[in-house]
Amino acid sequence: MKLSHLLNERLVLLPMQVADKWAAIRALAEHAVGAGALPQTRLETVHEALVEREKSMTTGMEDGIAIPHAAVDGIEDVVGVLGIAPDGIEFQSVDGQPARVVVCLVIPRAKKILHIKTLAEIARLLKRAEVRASLAGSQSPEEAMAAVRGGEEVAEG
């Protein structure tokens, strides 16, 4: 599933200014609730699942990217939230760099194949330096979404 199919401007948290990855995970889960993508009643379950996944192994990747994610029972659809942290967030990334682009995914546990395919699609998009630079430099949710859509169009090209 493409990132542009999961997100809209309401699901972009910009600027995301938090102390660490734990606060980032909390902020992104709360943002999903505030945007209406997750019911308030699922907030703690989703947050706990994201934290447990992060404790098992960091989701901080390379080049300023982190993709915290978790499979959760009791949700129907994949939920995505994009956080842009201009100052970066320590995410214990494999290259030691702070994360500036954070994509949080919550996927129904019953849709394991979709989980894997969605993670792969997002990683492929964010591997491209120009997409990362456009996202990190976005000044508004609209700019961030335009960067996502533009990156996907080039990849399809």
Side-chain angles (χ1 to χ4, degrees), residues 15 25 30 34-35 41 45-46 49 51-52 60 62 66 83 96 109 120 128 133-134 136:
I25 289 169
E30 289 176 351
T41 57
T45 300
V46 166
V51 167
E52 285 306 309
E62 296 176 318
R109 189 175 308 279
R128 298 185 34 237
S134 291

Side-chain angles (χ1 to χ4, degrees), residues 36-113:
L38 282 172
Q40 177 70 42
T41 57
R42 302 303 295 156
L43 174 61
E44 291 309 317
T45 300
V46 166
H47 178 252
E48 288 171 18
L50 290 165
V51 167
E52 285 306 309
R53 169 59 186 86
E54 191 66 32
K55 285 179 178 177
S56 72
M57 182 169 44
T58 185
T59 57
M61 301 177 70
E62 296 176 318
D63 301 316
I65 304 299
I67 309 177
H69 58 279
V72 178
D73 289 320
I75 63 167
E76 300 296 318
D77 297 309
V78 177
V79 175
V81 184
L82 171 63
I84 307 292
D87 298 331
I89 303 163
E90 173 52 50
F91 239 94
Q92 296 172 314
S93 300
V94 294
D95 65 357
Q97 297 299 308
R100 289 185 169 72
V101 176
V102 183
V103 178
C104 180
L105 293 175
V106 181
I107 300 173
R109 189 175 308 279
K111 298 184 178 179
K112 195 70 167 172
I113 298 299

